[in-house]
Every structure is written in structure tokens, then in C-alpha cells.
Amino acid sequence: MALQQSIDLALDANIGGGGLTQAALDDALGLVGDAMKRLAEDDASGRLPLLHMPRTTDDLASIREAAAFLRDDATDVVILGVGGSSLGGQTLAQLKDYAVPGTGRFTESPRIHFLDNLDPITFDRVLHKLPLSSTKFVAISKSGGTGETLMQTIAVLTALEKAGLRSHPNDLFLGLSEPRKDGGKNALRDLLEPEGVRFLDHHTGIGGRYSVLTNVGLLPAAVLGLDIEAIRQGAADAYEPFRKGAAAKDAPAALGAALNVAAAKAGKGIAVTMAYADRLERFTRWWVQLWAESVGKDGKGTQPVAAIGPVDQHSQQQLYLAGPNDKLFTVLTTGVAGKGPVMNEALAKRAGQTGFAGRTIGDLVAAQGRAMADTFAKNSRPTRQIHIETLNERALGELLMHFMLETILAGYATGVDPFDQPAVEEAKILAKEYLTQG
């Protein structure tokens, strides 16, 4: 397993009164142990297809074929979708420098764009700047009825028509949605199928925020040339302790779930994940949606906060160290020591930083990640450490599956359904009502 997890700095025996007691953790481990039994039943019965996805290979060929279609003669590929239809793909795309600060958004060929937020100015400007004749589009909506995605798709079809390209939408578009149900309506299919646009089927048993291991997340990854089979192999690594019947304390995702459950019961109502890698920034945003929509129900749940290190040390740690002790921290690091530019000895001396001489930027980032965790602990802030030595497809697949399992088990252990999102649906219905009134 690539993922190494330690909760030592979360326990009061190691950090003092602000930490969690062993008794509280043991109680939470008992609840998560019961949740693991339910998870095992989910696996055996097949009612939770996500658990089978890491071992699934029969759909990889169709994903690669669709990716080849999107890459063929394309300078740009645009992914239309919101939330779970986009964030998983963005997370994987960061392995190829997508949206990494300083590298520029367009670093691959074809260049990939995720238009996930329906900002009218941004959308209009992107459509005007894209070379539409060599741009391909993917519209993703599990239900087919997502208002934002439908508006995006209509806007693109209109732009193609204005550019004289409307006669070839089947050459420029791909849809991804659930199969049409008998007698049922699927607005995205209704919109695109008459244009001759072909569709990939969205898995009917896996919701958007859990869909990163399906074609929803793997298609953009394949467009960028990532090893999609390795991503699933990493997910299988995260699930392997469960397949072997490990106890909760010995299965990393189960231990993480128990830590979160114990923290919530101890009044730690905020969960902060601080990743010390630019290429995990979208991961933290993906996790925020996953955690918030899955466990925030019936007056339960904790507030997820995404942070990126080292930059957010400067903007947030004052509050974290001197503000209310109501948070559980996860510090996520990678093996960057020894990497990056080496500091010139003479220049380091001139700057009054002789300790920099011969060191790399990676050495400083590694030191900062370690120091942040230790500083949290010295200030009695409960902290979990997760380390991945080499951030690649397999490691990221393991990390994604770890946090999905952790989220599901936390939901089961606290008595909430980790798969629905009734409050989100309420707002969607009201927004469409307001739109039609206008």
C-alpha cells in the first residue's frame, strides 16, 4: 500500500487534553466495526457497486476508445458538468498539471478544460476563445436533468451553430448519462441524441460524488494519457484489508472513519485536510463535496475545510493554533524531500540563510509538512498524518478509495445515509422554479 497513516498525534496520551481519549476512539472503533459488517453485506449482495469497481476491467476498453475519439484531431477537450460529474476528473487530471498554480491551465495536448461552475462571464469568454472546429465536448449528468449541464450544453450547441459547425455535432460531442428508462425522461439524451451524439452509460448504482472510479472520472484521465487501470489497482489496494476481514483498527479507512466519529462526538465539529502538494489541491475540493454531502444530515456531520500547504500555513494557522480547539486536522504529505532546485551556497549566505545551502525546495516543503503536524500536536490540536511517497496513478487511486470508504463507514456509524443529498435536491428544485418565474 502506498498510503501510510498515523493517528498518534490525535490522541491525548501524546498531545494532552485537546486530544481524543483512547476510550473515545475504542467506542468509535466499535461503531465502525459494526459498519464494516454492513459494508461486507453490501459487497456480498452487490447492492453497493462501488465496492466492485476496483476489480472491474471490462469497461476499460470502452473508456479508452472514447478517449481516443476525443483526442483525435482535437486541440481542446471540454468537460461539461458540475460537482461529482467534474471534481473526480479534475483530481486525476492534476497528475498531468491541470490547474496547477504557475504551470498554466493548458499544459497538455489536447488541452483539457473543466467548466464546472456556471459563471456566465467565464463561460462566454471560454466559448469565444476556444477554436471550436478543433474542440470536443463531453456533457456529463447522471440523471440527465442537471440544470447547469443542460444550459452549458445548449450554449455550446448554439455556439457551434453560429460558427457554422452545427451540422457535425456528432463529431464534436460525447454524452455521459444513465441509460434511458422505459417511459422515462432524460433531458440530456433528449437534447443530444437527435443530433446523432453517442453516449457512454453512467453507472446507475454509483452516484456522482462516488463516480471517480467509473467512466466519469477515468475518461478525462484517459484523454490525458493516464494509466486508468493503475488508478483502479490503487483503489483495490485501499479495499484489500476489508476483503481480508481485517479489524477496524487494522484497516486504514476504517481507522480514519473511527477517528472522525470520535472527533465529532468530542465536539470537534470541523475537519481540516491540508495537503502539501499542488497536485492534491483538487483532491481536497473533491473530498469537501464527498464529506459534506454524505455525512451532513439529520443535524449530524462535521464541516470539511480544504487547505493547501505550505501557502495556507500563512493564511490559516493563526486561527488553527490560537482559535477554538474544535477541529480535527489531516496533514497529507508526499515524498518531495530532495526534489526541486538546489539552493546556491553563496546566495543562501548572502540572504542570511546558511541553513538553506545545498538544500532543495522539496526539503523545505517536507520540513514544513512535518513541522505543521508537530506544531498542531504541541498546541493540543488532534492531527492525523497521511503520507504518500510517490504520487502517481496507483497511489491517487488508493487515496480516493480510502476517503470514499472512510466517508461511507462514518455515515453508517453515525446513522445517516451517506448516499443521498435531500437538501441539495431541494435547492435545485427551487432554483428551477425561480428561473421559470423570471
Side-chain angles (χ1 to χ4, degrees), residues 56-71:
T56 300
T57 58
D58 57 6
D59 62 340
L60 295 179
S62 65
I63 295 172
R64 293 186 179 113
E65 179 187 353
F69 160 75
L70 293 171
R71 291 178 61 89

Side-chain angles (χ1 to χ4, degrees), residues 280-293:
L280 288 173
E281 181 265 341
R282 283 301 196 272
F283 165 80
T284 64
R285 290 175 55 178
W286 168 87
W287 164 76
V288 164
Q289 182 194 5
L290 175 72
W291 187 258
E293 280 196 356

Side-chain angles (χ1 to χ4, degrees), residues 106-433:
F106 308 137
T107 57
E108 289 292 326
S109 180
R111 300 175 296 249
I112 195 162
H113 316 253
F114 292 86
L115 295 178
D116 57 337
N117 193 44
L118 199 63
D119 183 293
I121 297 173
T122 300
F123 202 87
D124 191 55
R125 287 182 180 173
V126 170
L127 281 182
H128 279 87
K129 289 181 179 180
L130 284 170
L132 291 178
S133 62
S134 59
T135 298
K136 295 187 179 179
F137 298 86
V138 184
I140 304 176
S141 169
K142 182 176 187 290
S143 67
T146 307
E148 294 93 334
T149 308
L150 290 171
M151 273 201 167
Q152 289 175 329
T153 304
I154 292 169
V156 170
L157 289 173
T158 303
L160 291 176
E161 185 168 19
K162 290 180 179 179
L165 299 168
R166 182 63 184 277
S167 60
H168 306 289
N170 57 318
D171 294 330
L172 301 175
F173 244 109
L174 187 68
L176 206 167
S177 187
E178 286 183 329
R180 188 187 297 276
K181 299 175 183 176
D182 291 340
K185 183 173 177 60
N186 184 306
L188 188 62
R189 288 182 180 270
D190 292 341
L191 184 61
L192 289 176
E193 284 179 343
E195 306 280 350
V197 173
R198 70 185 185 100
F199 271 75
L200 294 179
D201 289 339
H202 194 300
H203 200 300
T204 58
I206 300 178
R209 63 185 179 273
Y210 291 100
S211 66
V212 62
L213 299 177
T214 73
N215 50 19
V216 174
L218 296 189
L219 179 59
V223 169
L224 290 173
L226 291 168
D227 186 345
I228 59 176
E229 188 169 5
I231 294 167
R232 284 201 178 152
Q233 289 171 345
D237 293 339
Y239 192 54
E240 188 62 17
F242 296 86
R243 287 176 55 79
K244 290 183 175 179
K249 65 181 179 61
D250 298 319
L255 181 60
L259 183 69
N260 277 278
V261 170
K265 289 193 171 189
K268 311 292 184 185
I270 300 172
V272 179
T273 293
M274 181 176 283
Y276 278 77
D278 280 347
R279 284 155 190 80
L280 288 173
E281 181 265 341
R282 283 301 196 272
F283 165 80
T284 64
R285 290 175 55 178
W286 168 87
W287 164 76
V288 164
Q289 182 194 5
L290 175 72
W291 187 258
E293 280 196 356
S294 299
V295 303
K297 291 153 195 168
D298 304 328
K300 300 175 182 178
T302 56
Q303 171 67 54
V305 175
I308 196 78
V311 66
D312 283 333
Q313 286 185 211
H314 297 273
S315 64
Q316 298 175 22
Q317 73 167 320
Q318 174 63 39
L319 170 68
Y320 292 161
L321 296 178
N325 194 349
D326 56 356
K327 303 168 188 69
L328 171 66
F329 294 94
T330 294
V331 175
L332 180 53
T333 57
T334 62
V336 294
K339 296 182 179 179
V342 178
M343 298 299 102
N344 177 275
E345 182 177 0
L347 294 177
K349 183 177 180 180
R350 185 195 301 174
Q353 301 291 336
T354 55
F356 284 6
R359 299 293 187 178
T360 68
I361 287 178
D363 291 331
L364 178 58
V365 173
Q368 287 174 317
R370 178 183 173 187
M372 192 71 259
D374 286 345
T375 301
F376 282 145
K378 289 177 181 178
N379 286 269
S380 296
R381 267 53 180 175
T383 304
R384 165 175 59 166
Q385 295 169 284
I386 292 179
H387 181 76
I388 294 173
E389 186 62 24
T390 302
L391 184 60
N392 55 23
E393 291 97 326
R394 186 160 184 164
L396 188 51
E398 182 181 351
L399 187 68
L400 289 161
M401 189 65 177
H402 172 101
F403 276 84
M404 286 190 284
L405 290 167
E406 182 173 293
T407 300
I408 294 166
L409 290 171
Y412 283 175
T414 54
V416 301
D417 182 349
F419 302 109
D420 66 354
Q421 55 278 339
V424 175
E425 298 305 318
E426 179 182 349
K428 287 180 181 178
I429 293 169
L430 194 58
K432 286 185 178 180
E433 180 182 326

